Amino acid sequence: MSTAKGKKYARRMRNQPSNVSLDQVHLTPQGDGQRGFQSQRGSTSRQQQRGPYQSQGAHAGGDRGRGDYNEGPPIPKFITASMFAQARAAEINAMVKAVSQKSSNSLVFQSLPRHMRRRAMGHDVKRLPRRLREIAKREMEKSVHQKKEQSKSKCRKARRRHGNLQLEFNRRQRKNIWLETHIWFTKRFHMVKKWGYCLADRPTMKSYRACYRAMSNHCLLQDLSYLCCVEVMGKEEELLKALSRLCNIETGPTFAAVPCLSGKRQGSLVLYKADKYPNEALGPVTFIWKPKSIPESSCELRHLWLWMHTALKQDILKELRHVFVCEDRPDNAICAAEVPADPPQEEKPATVKTGGRKRKAQDKKGEKAVPVKRIFGDGTRASPDPYQWTSTQTSIIIRDLTMEIVRYRLVGPLSCCVLNDALHPAPLHKKTEDCGAHSWWEDYCQNSDNTLLHERQSSLFKLLQEIASPAQIPSGTVLGLTVGDPRVNLPKKRTKSLPNFQQIEDKAKVKSLMVDGVPAECSQSLIWSSDIRFQVTENKIPEQEMNRLRSELLVPGSRLDLGNKESKIPILLIQQPGKTTGRDRLGWGSSWDICLPKGWGMSFWIPLIYRGVRVGGLQQALQHSQYMGAPNVPGDFPDSLAGVLSAVEKETQLLEKYTKRPPAKRTNFIKHGILAPFLCPWGQLTREWEVRAGAEVNRSTQEADHGTEDGAELNQSVQNKDLGTEEQADSPKDIDMDSGSAVSTEQPFEEVGPKGFSVLRNKKVLKELSVFCDPRGGRKANHPPSEELLSLVNPVLRDFPKSLVWVRLSMMTKGSPELHAVICIPSKEDLIQLSKDKTFAGPQEPKHSDSFKKKVVNYKKELRKQKAKSKREGSEKMETNAEPLGNNQLTLGLWPNPIPEVTTHCSRLLLGHVTQGDFSMATGCGAALGFVSLTGLLHLLQQASDKIGIVLIRNPSSLQYRFAKLTIDT
Amino acid sequence: MAEQMSHTERVPHRRRPAPRPPRSANDIYVNTKTDFRAQLARCRRLLVAEGQKELRVHGLGLAIGRAINLALQLQLSAPDALLISASTSTVELTDDLEPEGGEDAEPGTRNRNNSAIHIRVYRAQEE
């Protein structure tokens, strides 16, 4: 009996009268009934054995007909009446007690039959039958008592009062920061806690397909405020010199690219640890330089914004500090370093809030009572100022602007229309009226150059309406603008904004915008200045005030004209290029990003929603990157620390889900030949391929030496390069021989960390590879000469022996690839069969045997035995608890940890894994993105001569391989 | 063709998507990827089920042939009822040039022209 069963039994028997059961002693065939009774009473025993015929009473009661004379105890010859009655009385007592006491865990009214239950029984005792009222009363008191402890101290009305609600909200976001749109999202989305934020995952309504449609035809809105912004200030040369250590020109334009440096374009690149390229990536960032001010001065401070994913922030910040030679401790955190400095900050808004209760009285005094909401930057930080670090050698300052700037993304062709409808350029300051709270705008407008610039910017913004899709203008265009309060011209109803058919603007202007983009000076925005940002946030007219003003309008529903009091908000519009790789659907998913100062999030969100956009969460972001063929941050950067962490997190998540299922209903991955279904073993994969390639190249060069002397120089070069590869290949080989799981042994050998591999991001090499992979490339139509390939292969192999390549796969016939599906090399027979029969679905993997199943089962049995044993012996709970933890790795259906060679485990050679896979609604077939080993890929290219770039994909939950076309998009 | 050109010129470039004028329900932009039968079925549905008076079939570059084919097929299905009139135009396309081997150069853009056809398929009894 397992423990659970045992407990249940014990609970059921708890209130049973113990004297009903009988002692074994009684069964001894003694004719002496008296003695029998005595002994029975003597042992009103704790023993729980019972049987229908063991009761003495039953026998004594003359139930002769059923008793077996041979086996059962003989009938006593005489009974003493008093004794007998006493015994029966005891039994009756016990029975009465058992009836009056309820034994189950349920509430009283649950024990009633259904037809006697009434709805209000839960809280009204009088609804119950009278006999149960006593018990129910007791029960209710108990439950009330329990509830008291949990419940809030205040009534609901008090709790929902604005100030208290804010207090509660601030308490709840102490651990995970909320975005400004959080409350809006919680009502409509499934929320997840990730990277220290509460983020929206997906809408609660069914909208996967609708979101795709919105992205390709309409407009999808996302809140990306969780992205982090790091501002770097300093002299241009110094900045560039230091930053050049973090990136490499081989991966594309760097920080010094001319269009980016002037500030009119956004750049994007992958950062590496200082001087470590191509190893140790940090992750992708996008960056914007602040445009130079119009009268140029040579020693001007340049500002640079680096936008990155939250998961990468710590690593990148650390590296930036290292490169710029800064101290680890932020300059302005020193005073707030002690722990007690934090609570006063927490209290501060609270004191304001307690005043806020009498808000009617305080409202008249001014806005001072209103700012209760926590809008200062990173909610975890003590001071509202952003952290900053100053370089000890140069004058460079790093500033962490996390949560200082709200960032929204509008994906889709109609995003220009939506923006144009929702926002309007700020009106110029009118001198005739009284100046409002926006002195910065007054100052700005006094300069005629500035007003001219503002007019140019607004005319450019108006022109955007003419553009059918954000993809039409140069990628990464930055447009600065100052807009008026978007709440002013909110439509009454939610409407869908559509392009205006009739509008015919200046065609030449539109054309110049499309060709040249925004001129550099128009990229200037006041959002760069932290003072103005602060002022704008401070002087925001609160929603309540806004509504009051609206209600005071003479004509209800007419446009509110605030004059100079209307807020002006400096914003930045950044165009994001959509799909830039591959051939199909170029420009798909291009989008506009809009950056606002903090505190304005909801005021811009609602107007955008009222223009008929659809809203997406993290799932839609993944969908977006998947259809663009772009790696998703941080999951698809396995060579960065954040990528590794996210993979591990994903693994635990998947494993938990897997082990929750009953063992018989799980996929047995061992039988499917899937060694690591939850975590891709990139390190092991690349290492094994490297070893294989080393052996192969050895053979081929020997053959070449024996062969003819044509292309002597080529051979020479090949040999030279081979030497290189061999040298590199040799050392890890030795390690591999020593230990099955070389992950741990490699760490001291290379300081690369637990990975030892890198992702190939060299544009030139990728371009050449993509030509080889693509049969449409044209050049290699008549059988690719292996020399040409070799000449490409060898330097690449020498430089990047352990590299992964980001590939796109599209299924040729059926099948929809899943996460962590395996990518394999087809055998010759497969290809022959495919060329014979075009509808050939693909080979099947023979079922593997599960040698671990027995072990697991045996182990479980033993465990059970031990537990039972220990229970019998006594409560040695410590021991029983400790043991299952020690051997927990053995899970039915999963390969225990040191996994054998991954490449050759299945019948086809393993090439890589899928990291994003789904049915693609754009192409109408299964599509996947993933990584393959570079060495393996070259092996594939050399092997198959006529069918280039065809691989097999198999889902972890299936034995069926499917054909897919592999392409490398550049 | 553009592929070959790019190889001979050796200027790596990236094409921007063609300009997409605002469209109404009876504008059909023909591409080379969608199944031809599906396109034909869509046109038929628009004409028959949704009762559109006229369709405008647009084809750009390589899709001109398909557009013509589509219009002719439509007419073939109802030779008396449907009439065709075609016009041509030139569409200006933009390419982003990618300067190679340096970031000092400003990435330029290149304009090129491509021909397009616009076929009006309309009902005869209209007049």
Side-chain angles (χ1 to χ4, degrees):
Chain A
M1 196 190 308
S2 76
T3 49
K5 255 187 188 167
K7 269 184 201 160
K8 212 170 168 187
Y9 182 75
R11 213 185 305 135
R12 209 166 55 222
M13 289 300 140
R14 193 178 44 193
N15 294 322
Q16 289 298 331
S18 49
N19 57 349
V20 174
S21 59
L22 264 195
D23 202 331
Q24 292 290 332
V25 182
H26 251 287
L27 301 179
T28 45
Q30 246 80 35
D32 197 344
Q34 209 163 9
R35 196 152 30 109
F37 281 126
Q38 274 160 0
S39 72
Q40 182 196 355
R41 217 174 309 132
S43 68
T44 33
S45 55
R46 306 261 147 251
Q47 284 168 11
Q48 303 281 319
Q49 303 147 333
R50 53 189 57 222
Y53 299 110
Q54 281 173 358
S55 155
Q56 172 70 17
H59 293 287
D63 197 357
R64 257 161 247 168
R66 279 192 271 166
D68 194 328
Y69 286 94
N70 298 332
E71 289 165 26
I75 304 155
K77 290 203 176 99
F78 58 91
I79 317 169
T80 318
S82 62
M83 285 291 189
F84 183 73
Q86 230 167 6
R88 294 293 80 73
E91 261 178 33
I92 288 164
N93 267 342
M95 273 198 275
V96 167
K97 197 180 162 201
V99 168
S100 64
Q101 249 175 11
K102 83 185 170 59
S103 59
S104 66
N105 245 355
S106 57
L107 296 170
V108 185
F109 64 84
Q110 282 171 336
S111 63
L112 281 173
R114 251 170 226 284
H115 70 275
M116 286 175 74
R117 292 191 195 169
R118 296 293 177 269
R119 191 174 46 170
M121 274 177 181
H123 62 266
D124 192 357
V125 187
K126 289 193 174 153
R127 296 281 172 160
L128 281 159
R130 202 169 273 165
R131 64 184 167 87
L132 293 176
R133 274 183 204 165
E134 274 301 303
I135 313 168
K137 216 179 207 173
R138 247 179 287 140
E139 221 164 53
M140 211 172 272
E141 272 163 20
K142 206 168 145 196
S143 70
V144 164
H145 197 67
Q146 276 176 350
K147 244 183 212 165
K148 264 265 164 65
E149 288 166 357
Q150 297 166 1
S151 76
K152 313 284 186 314
S153 50
K154 293 167 194 154
C155 67
R156 184 186 148 81
K157 200 180 166 194
R159 266 184 282 129
R160 301 299 296 182
R161 212 171 277 149
H162 182 71
N164 295 341
L165 199 60
Q166 285 298 343
L167 202 66
E168 174 73 3
F169 285 172
N170 286 353
R171 183 189 66 75
R172 267 156 58 188
Q173 54 183 314
R174 224 175 280 162
K175 208 172 197 178
N176 290 295
I177 307 169
W178 291 359
L179 305 184
E180 286 180 21
T181 49
H182 179 83
I183 301 290
W184 190 92
F185 270 113
T186 46
K187 293 170 184 166
R188 296 159 180 89
F189 277 67
H190 294 285
M191 305 298 287
V192 288
K193 293 196 170 78
K194 236 178 176 183
W195 310 304
Y197 291 87
C198 281
L199 299 176
D201 187 36
R202 59 189 194 281
T204 44
M205 61 179 185
K206 251 186 177 179
S207 61
Y208 190 75
R209 192 172 281 265
C211 285
Y212 167 71
R213 241 181 281 133
M215 276 190 263
S216 47
N217 297 327
H218 306 298
C219 182
L220 184 94
L221 178 63
Q222 287 171 303
D223 189 353
L224 296 184
S225 307
Y226 62 91
L227 297 187
C228 297
C229 180
V230 170
E231 189 177 37
V232 186
M233 288 175 284
K235 286 201 186 103
E236 190 179 303
E237 307 84 61
E238 285 170 356
L239 282 178
L240 285 179
K241 203 182 129 201
L243 286 170
S244 65
R245 291 175 63 195
L246 296 179
C247 50
N248 197 300
I249 192 141
E250 281 177 1
T251 63
T254 62
F255 289 103
V258 172
C260 300
L261 200 56
S262 68
K264 64 177 187 174
R265 301 281 172 84
Q266 172 194 251
S268 63
L269 44 78
V270 178
L271 288 187
Y272 288 85
K273 275 196 179 169
D275 310 322
K276 285 280 170 61
Y277 175 84
N279 295 321
E280 298 195 55
L282 287 170
V285 293
T286 60
F287 62 91
I288 321 170
W289 287 94
K290 183 184 176 185
K292 286 172 188 157
S293 53
I294 301 158
E296 265 180 65
S297 53
S298 57
C299 57
E300 193 194 354
L301 273 185
R302 292 299 304 264
H303 293 235
L304 171 71
W305 273 359
L306 292 167
W307 283 89
M308 64 201 77
H309 195 273
T310 328
L312 315 168
K313 180 180 140 191
Q314 285 313 322
D315 299 336
I316 292 181
L317 257 183
K318 203 171 133 201
E319 204 57 29
L320 281 177
R321 285 200 299 262
H322 168 66
V323 166
F324 292 127
V325 204
C326 296
E327 279 180 33
D328 277 353
R329 202 173 190 185
D331 298 345
N332 50 352
I334 295 166
C335 53
E338 300 102 55
V339 185
D342 236 355
Q345 191 55 42
E346 297 288 343
E347 293 312 312
K348 214 175 181 179
T351 52
V352 176
K353 263 168 256 149
T354 46
R357 246 179 238 168
K358 299 175 214 154
R359 65 179 179 283
K360 289 234 168 84
Q362 294 221 348
D363 251 5
K364 280 159 200 160
K365 278 188 218 160
E367 309 101 333
K368 285 286 183 305
V370 187
V372 200
K373 215 171 182 177
R374 175 187 291 197
I375 40 176
F376 36 77
D378 190 342
T380 53
R381 205 186 276 146
S383 73
D385 301 326
Y387 280 163
Q388 72 176 37
W389 295 268
T390 314
S391 170
T392 48
Q393 288 177 2
T394 51
S395 57
I396 292 172
I397 297 174
I398 308 174
R399 212 184 257 172
D400 178 8
L401 295 186
T402 307
M403 296 295 283
E404 290 286 304
I405 293 159
V406 177
R407 187 171 176 139
Y408 296 150
R409 177 165 292 175
L410 293 132
V411 186
L414 289 192
S415 51
C416 308
C417 286
V418 169
L419 278 177
N420 243 306
D421 284 353
L423 310 178
H424 60 279
L428 289 174
H429 188 82
K430 291 171 204 125
K431 275 172 193 155
T432 50
E433 296 170 32
D434 58 329
C435 55
H438 311 285
S439 55
W440 61 272
W441 183 243
E442 194 185 346
D443 297 342
Y444 184 77
C445 286
Q446 267 162 10
N447 192 339
S448 62
D449 285 348
N450 287 342
T451 51
L452 216 69
L453 179 63
H454 179 67
E455 262 156 29
R456 280 186 69 189
Q457 284 178 339
S458 28
S459 72
L460 273 175
F461 180 64
K462 284 262 159 63
L463 274 185
L464 288 184
Q465 226 173 344
E466 301 297 298
I467 290 168
S469 147
Q472 295 282 318
I473 60 171
S475 68
T477 301
V478 178
L479 175 65
L481 193 65
T482 310
V483 296
D485 197 328
R487 291 173 293 179
V488 168
N489 52 354
L490 199 66
K492 286 196 196 89
K493 258 186 175 178
R494 194 176 168 197
T495 47
K496 191 166 146 191
S497 56
L498 286 169
N500 200 342
F501 285 90
Q502 269 71 49
Q503 222 163 31
I504 303 153
E505 285 252 349
D506 199 350
K507 279 270 161 66
K509 268 189 188 168
V510 177
K511 203 183 142 193
S512 82
L513 176 66
M514 269 158 57
V515 173
D516 302 325
V518 175
E521 62 269 18
C522 287
S523 306
Q524 185 71 259
S525 171
L526 291 168
I527 200 177
W528 284 93
S529 142
S530 61
D531 286 343
I532 289 178
R533 273 205 314 268
F534 182 71
Q535 281 188 39
V536 168
T537 309
E538 280 292 290
N539 295 330
K540 181 188 170 188
I541 304 177
E543 202 73 22
Q544 198 189 5
E545 179 75 6
M546 202 78 186
N547 288 336
R548 195 181 58 78
L549 289 173
R550 260 193 216 127
S551 72
E552 282 169 8
L553 277 175
L554 283 178
V555 185
S558 63
R559 192 179 182 281
L560 190 65
D561 192 17
L562 292 171
N564 274 348
K565 267 191 262 170
E566 186 184 337
S567 311
K568 282 95 189 171
I569 307 107
I571 61 166
L572 211 56
L573 292 166
I574 307 164
Q575 192 260 7
Q576 303 286 332
K579 190 170 187 291
T580 51
T581 57
R583 286 158 196 263
D584 306 335
R585 298 180 290 118
L586 274 175
W588 186 92
S590 56
S591 53
W592 279 104
D593 276 16
I594 168 168
C595 297
L596 318 164
K598 68 182 171 184
W600 280 92
M602 273 321 280
S603 315
F604 276 77
W605 187 260
I606 297 296
L608 289 175
I609 300 288
Y610 266 62
R611 262 59 187 206
V613 299
R614 191 171 271 278
V615 183
L618 286 177
Q619 195 193 44
Q620 275 65 43
L622 182 70
Q623 203 179 356
H624 185 219
S625 70
Q626 196 170 326
Y627 283 117
M628 288 203 304
N632 183 41
V633 189
D636 290 336
F637 288 83
D639 53 343
S640 72
L641 193 63
V644 173
L645 287 180
S646 90
V648 170
E649 196 183 316
K650 187 95 203 167
E651 189 203 10
T652 48
Q653 201 184 325
L654 289 173
L655 189 68
E656 197 184 337
K657 200 176 167 198
Y658 181 75
T659 43
K660 263 184 194 165
R661 319 200 88 202
K665 303 283 186 293
R666 292 179 199 157
T667 317
N668 191 332
F669 289 114
I670 300 176
K671 282 191 178 169
H672 285 195
I674 304 286
L675 293 175
F678 305 136
L679 183 72
C680 303
W682 300 121
Q684 198 177 342
L685 180 80
T686 44
R687 206 167 39 242
E688 279 172 24
W689 269 109
E690 192 189 11
V691 173
R692 284 181 70 92
E696 235 163 72
V697 169
N698 249 346
R699 219 182 307 129
S700 71
T701 43
Q702 273 167 14
E703 277 167 24
D705 283 343
H706 290 308
T708 54
E709 60 273 16
D710 65 329
E713 68 223 33
L714 185 100
N715 259 340
Q716 189 110 38
S717 69
V718 167
Q719 260 178 326
N720 288 346
K721 280 153 194 169
D722 286 345
L723 284 175
T725 39
E726 265 175 69
E727 276 171 331
Q728 289 205 340
D730 270 354
S731 38
K733 213 195 289 180
D734 296 343
I735 296 171
D736 241 13
M737 297 299 165
D738 292 342
S739 63
S741 63
V743 181
S744 53
T745 46
E746 199 175 47
Q747 223 158 0
F749 186 71
E750 286 177 7
E751 289 142 359
V752 184
K755 302 154 256 171
F757 61 90
S758 61
V759 175
L760 186 67
R761 297 201 180 89
N762 187 333
K763 283 230 160 134
K764 239 187 211 164
V765 177
L766 280 177
K767 213 163 248 176
E768 280 179 63
L769 273 175
S770 83
V771 171
F772 272 104
C773 285
D774 196 351
R776 282 186 297 172
R779 255 199 283 178
K780 311 288 168 319
N782 41 353
H783 293 292
S786 53
E787 288 104 54
E788 199 171 335
L789 189 63
L790 267 183
S791 66
L792 167 74
V793 162
N794 286 308
V796 172
L797 270 188
R798 186 192 52 203
D799 294 341
F800 321 102
K802 286 195 205 171
S803 287
L804 295 173
V805 190
W806 176 250
V807 293
R808 187 170 60 84
L809 305 138
S810 59
M811 307 304 284
M812 285 171 74
T813 50
K814 274 169 99 177
S816 151
E818 286 165 9
L819 188 72
H820 298 160
V822 289
I823 306 169
C824 298
I825 297 179
S827 67
K828 285 224 170 77
E829 294 80 60
D830 297 338
L831 291 176
I832 290 167
Q833 218 163 340
L834 180 68
S835 56
K836 268 186 202 159
D837 176 16
K838 273 211 161 174
T839 55
F840 177 52
Q844 290 244 347
E845 173 77 19
K847 227 176 198 177
H848 294 235
S849 67
D850 184 359
S851 56
F852 293 96
K853 193 173 177 178
K854 241 179 200 167
K855 268 189 202 170
V856 176
V857 171
N858 282 343
Y859 170 71
K860 284 233 166 115
K861 254 187 208 162
E862 225 158 81
L863 209 70
R864 215 173 293 155
K865 256 187 220 164
Q866 264 182 5
K867 243 181 215 168
K869 209 172 161 190
S870 63
K871 209 171 191 185
R872 234 174 287 143
E873 282 168 7
S875 56
E876 285 168 67
K877 276 179 189 164
M878 293 290 284
E879 208 179 324
T880 47
N881 277 352
E883 248 175 304
L885 282 176
N887 226 333
N888 220 4
Q889 299 164 344
L890 275 180
T891 317
L892 190 69
L894 285 182
W895 203 281
N897 217 349
I899 46 177
E901 204 170 330
V902 285
T903 46
T904 50
H905 185 73
C906 293
S907 59
R908 308 292 187 278
L909 271 178
L910 181 73
L911 204 59
H913 289 276
V914 167
T915 59
Q916 297 178 31
D918 199 359
F919 182 82
S920 165
M921 284 184 263
T923 52
C925 63
L929 298 163
F931 286 105
V932 295
S933 158
L934 176 65
T935 330
L937 182 68
L938 293 174
H939 176 82
L940 171 82
L941 293 182
Q942 280 167 315
Q943 191 188 38
S945 51
D946 51 341
K947 294 223 177 237
I948 287 170
I950 288 182
V951 290
L952 290 170
I953 290 189
R954 180 161 69 94
N955 282 340
S957 55
S958 142
L959 288 170
Q960 176 76 48
Y961 286 100
R962 306 255 182 214
F963 285 106
K965 198 161 260 165
L966 179 144
T967 39
I968 297 173
D969 288 340
T970 50
Chain B
M1 215 175 76
E3 257 345 281
Q4 289 170 7
M5 227 164 66
S6 76
H7 277 306
T8 50
E9 285 175 22
R10 285 258 160 232
V11 183
H13 69 277
R14 205 177 291 285
R15 294 190 205 167
R16 280 200 211 147
R20 179 186 148 139
R23 57 183 69 173
S24 55
N26 55 356
D27 278 311
I28 309 273
Y29 286 81
V30 177
N31 67 359
T32 53
K33 296 256 165 56
T34 311
D35 185 39
F36 183 76
R37 277 173 305 169
Q39 285 175 343
L40 196 63
R42 182 178 162 209
C43 292
R44 288 217 174 106
R45 195 196 64 220
L46 281 173
L47 280 174
V48 176
E50 295 180 18
Q52 295 279 357
K53 292 263 163 58
E54 70 166 43
L55 291 182
R56 289 189 292 273
V57 179
H58 308 270
L60 174 69
L62 201 59
I64 288 177
R66 271 192 152 213
I68 294 171
N69 200 357
L70 187 73
L72 289 176
Q73 290 282 326
L74 276 177
Q75 203 201 14
L76 202 66
S77 62
D80 302 326
L82 289 175
L83 293 178
I84 283 178
S85 79
S87 62
T88 57
S89 71
T90 306
V91 174
E92 205 162 314
L93 300 171
T94 318
D95 290 337
D96 282 317
L97 303 179
E98 290 167 349
E100 233 174 50
E103 33 191 18
D104 303 333
E106 188 112 0
T109 49
R110 181 176 66 185
N111 277 334
R112 61 193 164 83
N113 295 323
N114 211 343
S115 11
I117 194 167
H118 313 277
I119 310 172
R120 207 160 73 87
V121 182
Y122 56 98
R123 287 175 197 256
Q125 62 263 41
E126 220 179 318
E127 276 82 18

